[in-house]
Amino acid sequence: MKLYTFDPAPNPQRLKLFMEYKAISIDTHQVDFQGQEQRSDEYLAIIPTGTVPALVLDNGDILTSVVAMTHYLEALYPERPLLGSTPEEKAAVLDWNHRLFTEVFRAVADVFRNTSPGFEGRALPGTQNYAQIPELAERGAHQLQHAFGVLNGELSERDFLAGSTFSMADIDLLALLHFAGWSIKTKPYDSLEHLLAWQQRAQAALEQSN
Ligand SMILES: N[C@@H](CCC(=O)N[C@@H](CS)C(=O)NCC(=O)O)C(=O)O
């Protein structure tokens, strides 16, 4: 098995935290984002999506989404489960994964990629060149603030996102807050006390892995 990744990027970060918590190590190649290695002919010959992370399995199959990689790895390494134990927990973790990825990560990425000079003409990851659209950045900023409020409400009712147990849903949200902090300098307002208290709790649970 071989992992192609670039640890500081947000989706690689989700996978990195998952692997650290479960003490999984895999032969890894850190892709040179600075040098645009992910768009090179050599990289595209191995990973046609031109994205990271990507996991090449021993049978040659390639996984290009964190959700698939975590499901595969959890099946191989069931200790310290992060994807839920009961049918309800498993469904809740997947539900949060989908909501956070399609709505909230997307909102932060819309702001970041449609405003940063470094992403001019590359507003979406992958092999195609897309122009920046300033209105998407504006929409993303609103969407993110709305999502923070919704999350604050949800977290007033339970300790962790998917219930009483720390899970991949919490890792996804921790990675998302980190991403929003460095990329678009946005963090939840102090008034969102349940979200901020959860952040402390989830960070402590994550660090128990070390
Ligand atoms: N669908 C992928 C997301 C892959 C993705 O968007 N990766 C970004 C880094 S966070 C990327 O490869 N960007 C390359 C680029 O912008 O050229 C997943 O679920 O992990």
Side-chain angles (χ1 to χ4, degrees), residues 6 8-14 33 36 38-39 43 49-54 64-69 97 101 105-106 113 119 122-127 179:
F6 173 61
N11 287 299
Q13 190 62 209
R14 296 165 57 208
F33 258 36
Q36 297 279 298
Q38 78 276 19
R39 290 164 76 99
Y43 188 74
T49 56
T51 56
V52 291
T64 59
S65 61
V66 172
V67 65
M69 289 174 229
N97 169 277
F101 188 73
F105 262 91
R106 170 61 41 226
R113 296 198 68 126
F119 287 118
R122 291 204 306 113
L124 288 175
T127 58
F179 176 37

XYZ file of all heavy atoms in Angstrom, residues 6 8-14 33 36 38-39 43 49-54 64-69 97 101 105-106 113 119 122-127 179, ligand 1:
330
model
N -0.115 15.356 1.100
C 0.622 16.570 1.441
C 0.020 17.018 2.769
O -1.033 17.669 2.804
C 0.450 17.627 0.338
C 1.042 18.959 0.699
C 2.401 19.087 0.965
C 0.245 20.097 0.772
C 2.953 20.325 1.308
C 0.792 21.339 1.110
C 2.137 21.445 1.378
N -0.030 19.194 5.191
C -0.672 20.436 5.645
C -2.015 20.742 4.974
O -2.799 21.534 5.514
C 0.344 21.527 5.255
C 1.634 20.813 5.027
C 1.269 19.445 4.555
N -2.313 20.161 3.827
C -3.578 20.464 3.147
C -4.750 19.862 3.942
O -4.576 18.881 4.666
C -3.548 19.921 1.722
N -5.936 20.447 3.839
C -7.029 20.061 4.740
C -7.504 18.611 4.647
O -7.724 17.964 5.673
C -8.151 21.032 4.389
C -7.740 21.727 3.149
C -6.264 21.620 3.015
N -7.671 18.074 3.445
C -8.134 16.681 3.368
C -7.036 15.712 3.818
O -7.322 14.780 4.594
C -8.680 16.369 1.978
C -10.030 17.029 1.773
O -10.982 16.748 2.497
N -10.104 17.959 0.833
N -5.787 15.907 3.411
C -4.710 15.096 3.978
C -4.649 15.174 5.507
O -4.376 14.192 6.190
C -3.455 15.709 3.345
C -3.915 16.154 1.999
C -5.297 16.712 2.263
N -4.936 16.353 6.051
C -4.914 16.530 7.501
C -5.950 15.624 8.182
O -5.684 15.019 9.225
C -5.226 18.010 7.784
C -5.020 18.477 9.199
C -3.588 18.375 9.692
O -3.408 18.212 10.877
N -2.594 18.429 8.837
N -7.134 15.511 7.598
C -8.170 14.622 8.162
C -7.640 13.195 8.249
O -7.789 12.505 9.254
C -9.428 14.628 7.272
C -10.124 15.963 7.194
C -11.113 15.992 6.024
N -12.112 14.950 6.094
C -12.714 14.431 5.010
N -12.406 14.832 3.788
N -13.614 13.496 5.157
N 3.631 20.259 -3.303
C 2.597 21.192 -3.765
C 3.217 22.471 -4.318
O 2.724 23.041 -5.270
C 1.648 21.542 -2.611
C 0.328 20.805 -2.669
C 0.255 19.496 -3.114
C -0.847 21.428 -2.253
C -0.949 18.819 -3.162
C -2.067 20.757 -2.294
C -2.113 19.465 -2.751
N 3.998 22.030 -7.636
C 2.842 21.569 -8.443
C 3.002 20.117 -8.925
O 2.549 19.781 -10.021
C 2.652 22.477 -9.662
C 2.330 23.916 -9.326
C 0.862 24.101 -9.013
O 0.004 23.867 -9.832
N 0.574 24.488 -7.790
N 1.471 17.608 -8.053
C 0.177 16.926 -8.221
C -0.404 17.102 -9.622
O -1.321 16.388 -10.004
C -0.820 17.382 -7.137
C -1.472 18.736 -7.337
C -0.611 19.890 -6.830
O 0.594 19.750 -6.652
N -1.219 21.035 -6.595
N 0.146 18.061 -10.375
C -0.336 18.266 -11.755
C 0.685 17.798 -12.795
O 0.518 18.038 -13.989
C -0.664 19.754 -11.968
C -1.910 20.170 -11.169
C -2.021 21.676 -11.058
N -2.488 22.306 -12.284
C -3.732 22.692 -12.506
N -4.659 22.463 -11.615
N -4.066 23.276 -13.627
N 2.824 12.314 -11.850
C 1.820 12.088 -10.804
C 0.491 11.651 -11.419
O -0.148 10.703 -10.958
C 1.631 13.356 -9.954
C 0.757 13.121 -8.735
C 1.248 12.412 -7.637
C -0.559 13.578 -8.669
C 0.453 12.171 -6.508
C -1.357 13.344 -7.557
C -0.840 12.647 -6.479
O -1.624 12.401 -5.372
N -6.674 11.795 -10.875
C -7.475 12.943 -10.411
C -6.586 14.155 -10.112
O -7.094 15.282 -9.995
C -8.253 12.603 -9.119
O -7.308 12.165 -8.133
C -9.295 11.531 -9.353
N -5.293 13.936 -9.925
C -4.393 15.048 -9.606
C -4.649 15.627 -8.227
O -4.386 16.807 -7.986
N -5.156 14.797 -7.324
C -5.471 15.286 -5.972
C -4.731 14.465 -4.919
O -4.205 13.380 -5.195
C -6.987 15.197 -5.692
O -7.414 13.843 -5.900
C -7.778 16.134 -6.570
N -4.715 15.008 -3.706
C -4.233 14.285 -2.530
C -5.320 14.390 -1.457
O -6.074 15.366 -1.476
C -2.913 14.882 -1.978
C -1.755 14.650 -2.907
C -3.057 16.351 -1.623
N -5.381 13.453 -0.540
C -4.593 12.228 -0.496
C -5.101 11.217 -1.515
O -6.244 11.294 -1.968
C -4.836 11.729 0.939
C -6.212 12.210 1.279
C -6.347 13.538 0.574
N -4.205 10.263 -1.825
C -4.593 9.131 -2.677
C -3.895 7.893 -2.127
O -2.716 7.961 -1.763
C -4.183 9.385 -4.120
N -9.362 7.806 -3.773
C -9.049 9.237 -3.842
C -9.917 10.083 -2.913
O -9.914 11.305 -3.028
C -9.207 9.761 -5.292
O -10.544 9.518 -5.707
C -8.222 9.111 -6.240
N -10.675 9.445 -2.029
C -11.439 10.254 -1.074
C -11.145 9.761 0.348
O -11.009 8.553 0.588
C -12.939 10.187 -1.364
O -13.377 8.873 -1.244
N -11.067 10.723 1.261
C -10.736 10.384 2.652
C -11.770 9.433 3.229
O -11.430 8.494 3.960
C -10.627 11.678 3.503
C -10.468 11.330 4.979
C -9.466 12.531 3.030
N -13.035 9.634 2.867
C -14.077 8.770 3.438
C -13.830 7.306 3.048
O -13.957 6.394 3.880
C -15.497 9.269 3.070
C -15.789 9.192 1.599
C -16.558 8.519 3.855
N -13.430 7.066 1.802
C -13.151 5.680 1.383
C -11.893 5.147 2.077
O -11.873 3.994 2.534
C -12.984 5.624 -0.131
N -10.866 5.976 2.158
C -9.618 5.514 2.803
C -9.841 5.157 4.266
O -9.345 4.148 4.756
C -8.541 6.604 2.700
C -8.026 6.776 1.296
S -6.898 8.188 1.186
C -7.606 9.009 -0.223
N -19.983 13.247 8.162
C -18.934 13.340 7.136
C -19.493 14.023 5.895
O -18.899 14.952 5.344
C -18.423 11.933 6.807
C -17.540 11.937 5.579
O -18.034 11.903 4.462
N -16.242 12.020 5.784
N -18.383 17.736 4.761
C -17.583 17.795 3.535
C -18.298 18.591 2.447
O -17.700 19.456 1.808
C -17.238 16.383 3.048
C -16.261 16.402 1.910
C -14.923 16.708 2.121
C -16.674 16.138 0.618
C -14.016 16.761 1.067
C -15.785 16.188 -0.447
C -14.450 16.495 -0.214
N -16.751 22.284 4.582
C -15.434 22.331 3.923
C -15.550 23.110 2.618
O -14.691 23.905 2.261
C -14.917 20.919 3.599
C -13.953 20.372 4.613
C -14.402 19.624 5.681
C -12.590 20.597 4.488
C -13.522 19.116 6.620
C -11.701 20.091 5.428
C -12.167 19.350 6.491
N -16.625 22.851 1.893
C -16.833 23.518 0.601
C -16.914 25.031 0.789
O -16.347 25.794 0.011
C -18.133 22.963 -0.040
C -18.678 23.653 -1.253
C -17.768 23.676 -2.472
N -17.064 22.419 -2.704
C -15.755 22.327 -2.991
N -15.004 23.392 -3.085
N -15.201 21.157 -3.203
N -10.243 29.591 -2.143
C -9.765 29.393 -3.515
C -10.256 30.467 -4.485
O -9.691 30.628 -5.560
C -10.146 27.997 -4.008
C -9.425 26.923 -3.174
C -9.397 25.581 -3.822
N -8.594 25.499 -4.999
C -7.614 24.602 -5.208
N -7.282 23.744 -4.268
N -6.970 24.565 -6.344
N -4.331 30.962 -6.249
C -5.258 30.025 -6.908
C -5.935 30.641 -8.132
O -6.936 30.106 -8.619
C -6.312 29.518 -5.922
C -5.768 28.542 -4.918
C -5.800 28.821 -3.570
C -5.217 27.334 -5.334
C -5.292 27.922 -2.633
C -4.705 26.430 -4.412
C -4.743 26.727 -3.056
N -7.165 28.509 -10.856
C -7.168 27.131 -10.312
C -8.121 27.076 -9.123
O -7.783 26.626 -8.044
C -5.760 26.733 -9.852
C -4.765 26.552 -10.963
C -3.616 25.627 -10.583
N -2.923 26.018 -9.368
C -2.930 25.320 -8.238
N -3.595 24.185 -8.141
N -2.264 25.717 -7.195
N -9.337 27.555 -9.361
C -10.264 27.719 -8.241
C -10.799 26.395 -7.693
O -11.373 26.365 -6.611
C -11.414 28.630 -8.643
N -10.606 25.315 -8.444
C -10.997 23.993 -7.939
C -9.791 23.059 -8.013
O -8.955 23.190 -8.911
C -12.139 23.407 -8.788
C -13.521 24.044 -8.625
C -14.504 23.431 -9.622
C -14.051 23.847 -7.203
N -9.702 22.103 -7.064
C -8.621 21.114 -7.146
C -8.805 20.249 -8.386
O -9.911 20.187 -8.936
C -8.798 20.251 -5.886
C -9.876 20.872 -5.088
C -10.606 21.853 -5.933
N -7.747 19.600 -8.807
C -7.877 18.691 -9.952
C -7.170 19.215 -11.178
O -6.405 20.177 -11.110
N -7.465 18.580 -12.295
C -6.676 18.825 -13.499
C -7.201 19.985 -14.352
O -6.525 20.422 -15.266
C -6.663 17.561 -14.380
O -8.024 17.230 -14.679
C -5.993 16.400 -13.674
N -8.363 24.493 9.295
C -8.295 24.976 7.905
C -8.852 26.405 7.812
O -8.212 27.310 7.245
C -9.095 24.008 7.032
C -9.221 24.372 5.575
C -8.171 24.957 4.879
C -10.397 24.091 4.879
C -8.294 25.270 3.513
C -10.527 24.393 3.526
C -9.478 24.993 2.851
N -12.358 14.239 -2.684
C -11.146 14.313 -1.951
C -10.667 15.758 -1.838
C -9.376 15.915 -2.546
C -8.911 17.365 -2.582
O -9.696 18.297 -2.845
N -7.616 17.542 -2.289
C -6.973 18.830 -2.406
C -6.142 19.097 -1.162
S -7.190 19.331 0.259
C -6.025 18.760 -3.585
O -5.592 17.690 -3.951
N -5.677 19.897 -4.187
C -4.774 19.887 -5.287
C -4.783 21.171 -6.065
O -5.449 22.109 -5.654
O -4.116 21.199 -7.098
C -11.307 13.722 -0.558
O -12.407 13.384 -0.151
O -10.297 13.552 0.118
